[in-house]
Amino acid sequence: MTEAVVSLQEIEPGIVQLTMQDRINKNTFSEELVTGLMQSFEFIQANSSYKVVILTGYDSYFASGGTKDGLLAINEGKASFSDLNLYSLALDCKIPVISAMQGHGIGGGFVMGLFADFVILSRESVYTTNFMKYGFTPGMGATYIVPKKLGFSLAEELLLNAANYRGAELEKRGIPFTVLPRAAVMDYALELARQIAEKPRLSLIILKEHLVAPLRKELSKIVEEELAMHEKTFHQAEVRERIVALFGK
C-alpha cells in the first residue's frame, strides 16, 4: 500500500497532526500534496472536537514550494498562484495552527508555514524566499506575511536577496520564533499543542478570529498587488530560462 502524501492523525484528544510526506517530489507543491492539504484542512474545519493543528513535514523537508511544471504554467499564462488558496490554509483555519518546520522551508513552502499562528524552525534547516532567484517577484502573500512575521528589514533582505538562511543564522538575527535542533522540534510542538488544547475550543476559535482578522482582511489586497507584479515579471523569457536551469532539464 502506498503511503498518503498527506497524513492526518489525531495524536491526542483535540490535537491533530498534519504531516506532508511527498517523498518522490520532496514536498514541492505537487498536485497530490496540494489536494491532500486542502482536503485535510476541510476535514479539520468540519470536525467539532479538534482544538489545534500541528503542520509538519518529513525527515529534512518541511515544504519546498512550486514544482517546475507549476512555475512554467504560470510563466506561460496558464495558471496563477491564486488559483488555489493554498498559501493561507493555516490563516483561514478556525483553530490554532502550529508550523513545526523541522525541515527545509523553500519559497512558497516557507511562506505557507509563516501563515500559521505559531512557528518553530530547526537550526539545521534552510529557509528561503527564493522567488527572485527565478527572476519573478514573490507571490503567495509573501510580501505581506514575511515582513509581518520577521520584521521589515530582515524581510526586505530575504525577499530581494533570495538567499538561503539556516535556522541557526535566523536565530542570531533575532527572529521572534523558537529555533531548535531538528530532533527537538516535534517534541516542542507537541508540548505547545497540549498547552493550547487545555483551553476551551470556542474560546480558542473566537480569540484566533479576533487576532487574525486584520491579516485576513489585508491579505486579499496584497495578493491582488502580487498578481499585478506577476503580470509584469513572470512571463519574461529569462524567467523561463531560470526555471528550467534551476530545476535541471
Side-chain angles (χ1 to χ4, degrees):
M1 182 178 294
T2 58
E3 184 179 51
V5 299
V6 177
S7 167
L8 188 153
Q9 180 184 9
E10 186 173 14
I11 54 176
E12 291 185 9
I15 302 174
V16 59
Q17 181 172 319
L18 199 54
T19 306
M20 299 175 285
Q21 49 192 14
D22 188 346
R23 297 174 185 273
I24 294 175
N25 298 296
K26 296 181 177 178
N27 275 0
T28 53
F29 292 153
S30 64
E31 183 178 347
E32 295 82 5
L33 185 71
V34 170
T35 300
L37 281 171
M38 298 191 75
Q39 289 178 345
S40 295
F41 271 101
E42 286 179 8
F43 182 83
I44 289 166
Q45 292 281 63
N47 188 289
S48 61
S49 64
Y50 295 158
K51 292 184 175 183
V52 58
V53 181
I54 300 174
L55 177 65
T56 193
Y58 75 94
D59 297 347
S60 61
Y61 290 95
F62 175 70
S64 303
T67 64
K68 178 182 177 181
D69 288 345
L71 296 181
L72 287 175
I74 298 175
N75 172 258
E76 295 165 3
K78 299 175 180 177
S80 77
F81 73 83
S82 63
D83 289 343
L84 297 171
N85 195 2
L86 175 67
Y87 49 93
S88 62
L89 286 173
L91 178 66
D92 293 336
C93 186
K94 59 187 172 185
I95 60 175
V97 179
I98 301 168
S99 277
M101 291 199 245
Q102 87 310 327
H104 308 312
I106 311 297
F110 183 40
V111 172
M112 181 179 68
L114 292 179
F115 275 104
D117 305 287
F118 302 87
V119 177
I120 310 163
L121 304 184
S122 86
R123 293 189 179 126
E124 305 95 317
S125 297
V126 169
Y127 303 100
T128 178
T129 51
N130 63 341
F131 305 91
M132 289 288 281
K133 188 174 291 185
Y134 295 93
F136 58 83
T137 49
M140 292 194 62
T143 61
Y144 179 72
I145 202 64
V146 179
K148 274 285 185 183
K149 291 296 181 79
L150 299 181
F152 180 79
S153 295
L154 180 57
E156 189 175 30
E157 178 183 327
L158 264 68
L159 291 168
L160 284 169
N161 192 30
N164 294 340
Y165 296 78
R166 295 279 177 184
E169 182 179 356
L170 293 176
E171 183 179 25
K172 290 178 182 178
R173 299 287 297 271
I175 63 167
F177 304 137
T178 299
V179 185
L180 298 168
R182 179 175 293 143
V185 168
M186 283 306 298
D187 286 344
Y188 183 89
L190 179 56
E191 183 55 36
L192 176 59
R194 287 169 176 156
Q195 294 171 14
I196 296 168
E198 291 174 353
K199 282 71 176 178
R201 183 175 186 271
L202 179 60
S203 299
L204 289 170
I205 291 172
I206 290 174
L207 180 55
K208 173 169 177 174
E209 169 65 29
H210 172 75
L211 291 172
V212 305
L215 279 71
R216 291 173 176 168
K217 182 178 179 180
E218 295 166 10
L219 181 60
S220 60
K221 180 176 182 293
I222 298 297
V223 167
E224 289 179 6
E225 293 172 352
E226 289 182 346
L227 288 170
M229 288 193 292
H230 275 188
E231 282 300 311
K232 298 175 181 178
T233 66
F234 219 120
H235 308 305
Q236 302 173 82
E238 182 182 352
V239 168
R240 180 180 180 83
E241 292 168 2
R242 285 171 177 256
I243 293 170
V244 171
L246 288 168
F247 273 94
K249 296 181 180 180

